[in-house]
Amino acid sequence: MSGLIKADASDRRLVRAAWTAAGALLAIGLLVGARTELDYRRQAARQVEVQADILAASASAALAFDDRQALREYVDGLRVNPSLASAAIYDASGRAVVTIYRERAGPPPARAGVVGTRADGRRIRVLRPVAERGERLGTVYMETAPESWADMLSRHAGLGLLTVMAFLLLSVVTAAAAQLQARAAQLILANARLREEMDARGKAEEALRQSQKMEALGQLTGGIAHDFNNLLQVVHGAFELIRRRPEDAVKVAAWSVNGLQAAERGASLTRQLLAFSRSQKLELRPFVVGGLIGDMRELLTRTLGSEIALAVDLGDGETPVLSDRTQLELAVLNLAINARDAMPEGGLLTLTTKIVSVAAGDPLLEAGEYVELSVVDTGVGMSPAVMERAFDPFFTTKGVGKGTGLGLSQVYGVARQAGGAARIAAGLGGGTVVSLFLRSSTATPEGPQAPSPQPAVLAPAEGRTVLVVDDEAPVRDLVCETLRMLGYRVLEADSGAQALAILETEAPNLMLCDFAMPVMNGAELALLARRRRPDMPIVFASGHADTAAVEAALGGQAQILRKPFNLETLAETLARLLG
Amino acid sequence: MGLAAVWLAMAADARAQEPTLELAVKATYLYKLAPFVTWPATVLGDPTAPLAICVQGVDPFGAILDRAVAGQGVGSHPIQVRRLARIDAHSGCQIAFVGGSPAQSAAQALAQVDEAAVLTVTGEAATPRDHGIVHLRLVGGKVRFSIDASQAEESGLAISSKLLALAVQVKR
């Protein structure tokens, strides 16, 4: 800013200097012109004097001897000079002897005046003596015709034109510079104003973002808290009933199923959160979307309730897509739930699949074949403003505690992470169409992973020892209890250090350790444990989302049990590793 | 005396013959010639030396000449009029009007100053053979002159070309 002001000041000085130069130029031009004019007149006068002297010299004898004819001849000779207006020769007594003159100029004076040169305006009058050997014989008179303005102008035209042009040029340049200067000053002002506005706007936007973030966080935490409270209510209630009526085996079994289902839904909720945070690695495998829809049909019917009819139109044949089957199931379920909420009076939900070809130049998708999965409802539809933000995380139109604002985000995340896209459009007769584009694959499709055979779970674990390392006592206790129930001998450690101490004396067949622990984490413990027991399999239990980080810390073949895990998963994993 | 009487009578005749105006003009010519003639350096060496105009023989001017030269000079030289019956190289004349007289005819007078730096002037009365370096005569009612440039050269006189240009005739 100060640099600009300085530049401005120097500009001002430049303009002033230019005006001064223009003035000086004009003054110099005038001076030179005047000087030239004076010189010219002096020279012209001198020329007339010389001419008069010549006349005086040649006329002296004729004057002395009063030879008028000769004098007339001398004077007539002067007529050829166009600049001469009149001439006369006077005798020693001052009487005019011969005169000539042009009509315009008028006759010369009748009597000789005082010798000398008089420049009067643009005419020159010269009186020169006629003398021979110092003997004054008479006087010669000459008068020039006044120089025409045109001649005078043409004499000064070159210099005048140059001066005027230079002056004009300087004026134009100076005016332009002044204009530029004014413009620059305006620009500086405008720039400063713009900067202030930008700053103010930036602050406002920052504040808005902050408030939006807080609002989103509130929505999220509120939604999650609500969902978890509901689930915890179920779990809590189930345990309460079991504690009060432990003897009723049939009821206990039913209550425990309720509790487990609630816990399972909680697990699914956290998976959804993790998928949104994109921390959870998608497991991309080829499968057929039509097959997945077929498998989900019963679940969807139950989710939608009796008021909403379900129509399925599968057109993708056997074309496999590359995606995470579980996540896609969850996405379809999310869309179905959204559709259900959009059709409180009932309606029709249509699921269609078809194969589409995307040409090069699509803003989101690479060229190639895609399977388009569309979920179409006949509900209330979305306003354009809502549609625009529908995929934004935490954006929800449901009341506080009713939705997390993550459903459609998850849908979008699944589609994008598998190299596809998700789009929302208004349905033809109202309602909403959400389409997922999933990249087709050439790999052989896989069916849903077959559940582990029941016998493996109940495989005998007699004589096998498992070292359980976890810093959180409740989790550790539960895992230990489960393992004992499965028939394993269990060693417990609440830290890496304690686990290493146990390894000094004991030789467990397997170590099951938590990944996130204070002081020494699972990976560090595993490194030290491997030195002591190189052959001992190590299984990591991790509730943390970042599978990649865990794998990077442990190396490729790490065995990871994702928390929360159920009894079957635990039993199956251990049986596999120890088998 | 008788001679003188004749001379005077002749002079009176001459005056009677020539109108006064013409004589006055001729008288002024005598000294007006001086600025256009350059004498040798030996003559008129002193800047204040008088320039002598001599009238030899019959004097047609009389007092007219004296009036004409009164107050006049040539450069720094004052003009002196001398009337002589006879002239020769040593008479001290710079300009000599040769009128001729029984005592010394015009031809004799001219012959006397033939080699001297004397500007001889003759008038209408002179016979064609007896013209001085400058011979005054009437042309169309005006007094004009002819110049004998070769004689002037012989006499050691330089005559200004301006004067020559004005002459009705120049003998070279």
Side-chain angles (χ1 to χ4, degrees):
Chain A
M1 205 63 184
S2 68
L4 283 171
I5 285 164
K6 263 182 217 157
D8 187 43
S10 84
D11 280 356
R12 225 180 279 275
R13 269 201 298 280
L14 270 179
V15 169
R16 260 207 301 278
W19 274 117
T20 311
L25 190 71
L26 203 63
I28 289 170
L30 284 173
L31 276 176
V32 171
R35 176 74 196 271
T36 310
E37 178 65 20
L38 279 178
D39 280 352
Y40 173 82
R41 288 192 181 181
R42 202 171 297 141
Q43 207 175 334
R46 184 77 203 117
Q47 273 178 5
V48 180
E49 284 170 7
V50 166
Q51 266 187 311
D53 282 345
I54 289 169
L55 178 64
S58 49
S60 61
L63 195 58
F65 298 102
D66 195 28
D67 190 338
R68 283 171 192 247
Q69 196 187 336
L71 287 173
R72 172 65 58 190
E73 280 168 17
Y74 288 137
V75 172
D76 281 348
L78 294 171
R79 283 185 193 277
V80 297
N81 184 350
S83 67
L84 206 66
S86 62
I89 300 176
Y90 304 91
D91 64 16
S93 64
R95 272 195 308 273
V97 182
V98 285
T99 58
I100 53 163
Y101 59 93
R102 294 182 203 280
E103 288 298 325
R104 291 193 310 271
R111 293 195 63 82
V114 182
V115 165
T117 302
R118 272 168 293 277
D120 132 42
R122 288 171 299 136
R123 68 180 66 203
I124 301 161
R125 296 163 206 264
V126 169
L127 272 163
R128 305 295 283 180
V130 181
E132 199 67 42
R133 292 271 170 87
E135 200 59 31
R136 178 75 181 271
L137 299 171
T139 312
V140 159
Y141 172 83
M142 276 191 190
E143 180 184 327
T144 58
E147 192 190 9
S148 73
W149 287 109
D151 284 356
M152 200 161 112
L153 277 181
S154 76
R155 199 166 61 233
H156 292 292
L159 179 68
L161 199 68
L162 260 177
T163 307
V164 168
M165 288 310 285
F167 183 77
L168 277 180
L169 200 70
L170 262 172
S171 301
V172 166
V173 167
T174 309
Q179 218 165 21
L180 273 179
Q181 195 179 297
R183 192 87 34 97
Q186 280 170 4
L187 271 179
I188 288 167
L189 271 179
N191 192 30
R193 238 188 346 258
L194 191 66
R195 236 170 246 256
E196 275 170 27
E197 278 169 17
M198 274 163 66
D199 284 353
R201 189 180 175 135
K203 277 177 194 153
E205 277 178 357
E206 185 55 41
L208 183 66
R209 258 200 302 280
Q210 186 62 24
S211 77
Q212 278 175 340
K213 203 161 85 184
M214 295 312 289
E215 187 191 335
L217 228 84
Q219 281 177 356
L220 176 68
T221 48
I224 292 170
H226 176 266
D227 287 5
F228 268 103
N229 274 339
N230 283 349
L231 297 173
L232 287 173
Q233 181 62 50
V234 177
V235 174
H236 190 268
F239 281 124
E240 193 71 35
L241 290 168
I242 292 170
R243 189 167 64 88
R244 290 194 181 190
R245 302 280 296 276
E247 69 285 349
D248 190 339
V250 180
K251 287 266 176 74
V252 164
W255 291 330
S256 59
V257 165
N258 275 349
L260 281 172
Q261 274 177 349
E264 194 54 51
R265 274 165 57 203
S268 139
L269 188 63
T270 53
R271 267 204 299 281
Q272 209 165 315
L273 282 169
L274 293 173
F276 160 68
S277 80
R278 306 213 174 155
S279 314
Q280 191 171 23
K281 192 175 168 189
L282 286 176
E283 285 167 18
L284 301 181
R285 291 180 210 282
F287 62 90
V288 177
V289 178
L292 176 138
I293 303 291
D295 290 348
M296 288 181 73
R297 209 166 172 150
E298 203 184 320
L299 175 68
L300 291 172
T301 311
R302 233 185 304 136
T303 308
L304 292 169
S306 53
E307 299 295 309
I308 297 169
L310 175 69
V312 175
D313 175 13
L314 301 177
D316 60 338
E318 291 299 310
T319 307
V321 298
L322 201 61
S323 184
D324 185 313
R325 188 181 171 108
T326 316
Q327 291 294 329
L328 189 62
E329 275 176 9
L330 197 58
V332 172
L333 197 60
N334 277 328
L335 289 173
I337 290 167
N338 276 352
R340 183 196 64 194
D341 294 347
M343 298 185 282
E345 309 291 317
L348 173 67
L349 179 76
T350 312
L351 290 175
T352 61
T353 59
K354 64 179 174 193
I355 294 166
V356 292
S357 256
V358 172
D362 190 282
L364 279 178
L365 297 171
E366 284 177 31
E369 270 203 344
Y370 288 81
V371 170
E372 181 187 350
L373 165 60
S374 299
V375 180
V376 186
D377 67 44
T378 57
V380 293
M382 288 184 189
S383 71
V386 169
M387 201 174 285
E388 197 178 308
R389 294 189 59 193
F391 285 133
D392 288 0
F394 308 130
F395 178 78
T396 180
T397 55
K398 299 172 185 176
V400 173
K402 293 282 172 57
T404 56
L406 291 173
L408 280 174
S409 291
Q410 188 265 346
V411 170
Y412 184 77
V414 169
R416 289 298 292 155
Q417 284 187 46
R423 281 169 191 164
I424 296 183
L428 284 174
T432 307
V433 181
V434 180
S435 303
L436 278 85
F437 294 83
L438 301 162
R439 208 176 179 130
S440 72
S441 167
T442 49
T444 317
E446 292 174 4
Q449 276 173 327
S452 312
Q454 201 67 7
V457 176
L458 301 171
E462 298 306 323
R464 307 295 181 97
T465 306
V466 175
L467 171 59
V468 177
V469 190
D470 201 314
D471 58 322
E472 281 185 54
V475 180
R476 190 176 67 237
D477 289 347
L478 194 70
V479 172
C480 290
E481 206 50 49
T482 311
L483 288 174
R484 284 194 193 98
M485 206 182 79
L486 287 171
Y488 291 100
R489 177 172 165 252
V490 178
L491 299 167
E492 289 182 53
D494 62 2
S495 66
Q498 201 186 358
L500 290 173
I502 289 170
L503 285 176
E504 290 296 321
T505 52
E506 295 276 351
N509 299 96
L510 185 143
M511 183 167 80
L512 174 63
C513 69
D514 187 24
F515 184 78
M517 287 188 293
V519 188
M520 186 188 293
N521 71 21
E524 290 162 338
L525 170 61
L527 259 174
L528 295 169
R530 282 250 160 79
R531 282 193 200 155
R532 292 175 172 80
R533 307 280 172 204
D535 304 325
M536 178 181 67
I538 301 174
V539 177
F540 298 93
S542 173
H544 198 270
D546 204 340
T547 316
V550 176
E551 281 184 355
L554 300 176
Q557 339 85 327
Q559 292 296 325
I560 301 168
L561 265 180
R562 194 166 298 286
K563 286 179 184 176
F565 48 81
N566 57 25
L567 188 138
E568 282 84 2
T569 314
L570 179 63
E572 192 268 331
T573 306
L574 294 195
R576 186 160 47 81
L577 289 171
L578 293 170
Chain B
M1 264 323 270
L3 269 174
V6 171
W7 179 64
L8 282 171
M10 279 175 72
D13 279 355
R15 267 199 297 274
Q17 280 165 5
E18 298 182 49
T20 313
L21 178 63
E22 193 189 315
L23 269 178
V25 170
K26 285 182 178 173
T28 58
Y29 277 22
L30 285 183
Y31 77 83
K32 279 185 176 178
L33 286 169
F36 300 95
V37 177
T38 309
W39 280 265
T42 49
V43 185
L44 291 171
D46 182 353
T48 58
L51 184 138
I53 297 176
C54 303
V55 180
Q56 181 271 334
V58 177
D59 174 11
F61 311 110
I64 294 172
L65 178 61
D66 296 307
R67 278 201 301 274
V69 302
Q72 299 288 342
V74 178
S76 53
H77 303 283
I79 293 171
Q80 186 184 53
V81 176
R82 294 160 72 189
R83 292 184 172 82
L84 301 170
R86 312 165 63 91
I87 56 164
D88 56 32
H90 307 289
S91 303
C93 301
Q94 276 78 47
I95 296 172
F97 182 82
V98 178
S101 71
Q104 188 182 33
S105 69
Q108 281 169 335
L110 290 171
Q112 278 297 316
V113 294
D114 203 4
E115 309 251 310
V118 178
L119 180 75
T120 53
V121 182
T122 52
E124 299 282 346
T127 58
R129 281 191 298 112
D130 306 327
H131 286 181
I133 294 172
V134 176
H135 176 69
L136 303 173
R137 61 188 190 186
L138 274 172
V139 177
K142 286 186 179 277
V143 183
R144 304 280 69 157
F145 47 84
S146 56
I147 295 172
D148 187 344
S150 59
Q151 180 55 51
E153 203 174 328
E154 267 177 50
S155 304
L157 300 174
I159 294 178
S160 163
S161 58
K162 294 176 194 173
L163 196 64
L164 292 175
L166 223 56
V168 291
Q169 191 189 347
V170 177
K171 187 181 169 195
R172 293 184 191 271

